[in-house]
Amino acid sequence: MEFFIGVAFFLLGVLCKDFIPGYAKKKGENIATKEDIEDITHKVESVKSVVESKSETEKSKRELKIEACKQALKIVDAFLSQFIVVNNADGTQLKPAREEVTAADVRRCHNNLILSCENPEIIELYMSIVLSQYDGEEAFAILERLRNIIREEIGFGKCPNISNEKAWVFGPTPKETVNKT
């Protein structure tokens, strides 16, 4: 019986010497690999979160820029409707339907353009129309320049050249005329 006990201890010693350390080493590697994977996954998720956040910020900035530019064109249209008069061949004057705009709208738009646009010429042209009165030809040329700069700013490229007669729409009531005196 002592012989069997001796063999059992011998096998137990071999098992402890060869198998258990190898098993423990492999188990430790697996745990380390699992921890490495968790760490890498955490880092990937962190980078993904930062990229998504920046993407959302860029999307919001682009939306603000587009809205500010559209509002600027709307305000410019309203200003042009106040003083543009076209002389017809028959001696009458064609006046567009008048649009109203408030000072608060002009300031809000100005602020949004400053916040969102990279090209300062957009703000300069916007303010030059808002603060001044031009004759029809000059106003249409400035309007066309403003539209092209805005198209470039928001990534749409340049607009094809448009004649002054087609650069601005007078509104749904183009027959509103006043006799020339």
Side-chain angles (χ1 to χ4, degrees), residues 61-120:
K61 286 164 79 174
R62 180 166 171 73
E63 288 173 0
L64 175 63
K65 180 186 294 192
I66 290 171
E67 280 306 308
C69 290
K70 286 171 35 179
Q71 186 67 26
L73 291 173
K74 181 179 178 181
I75 289 171
V76 165
D77 281 346
F79 272 86
L80 292 177
S81 77
Q82 300 299 316
F83 63 87
I84 296 293
V85 176
V86 174
N87 295 319
N88 288 327
D90 66 359
T92 60
Q93 292 182 328
L94 183 61
K95 294 182 179 181
R98 304 287 188 224
E99 296 177 41
E100 297 298 321
V101 65
T102 67
D105 291 335
V106 172
R107 286 191 299 269
R108 185 178 316 107
C109 180
H110 183 251
N111 288 332
N112 287 339
L113 289 172
I114 289 171
L115 288 172
S116 64
C117 291
E118 295 172 22
N119 187 340

Side-chain angles (χ1 to χ4, degrees), residues 1-18 20:
M1 176 95 170
E2 287 182 20
F3 174 72
F4 290 114
I5 293 176
V7 169
F9 276 123
F10 174 74
L11 291 176
L12 186 61
V14 169
L15 184 66
C16 287
K17 180 180 177 258
D18 294 332
I20 292 179

Side-chain angles (χ1 to χ4, degrees), residues 42-55:
H42 176 70
K43 288 178 181 176
V44 167
E45 291 298 322
S46 176
V47 169
K48 183 179 173 184
S49 175
V50 168
V51 168
E52 286 175 355
S53 176
K54 286 184 179 179
S55 178

Side-chain angles (χ1 to χ4, degrees), residues 94-95 170-177:
L94 183 61
K95 294 182 179 181
F170 278 81
T173 57
K175 297 196 183 273
E176 181 184 330
T177 58

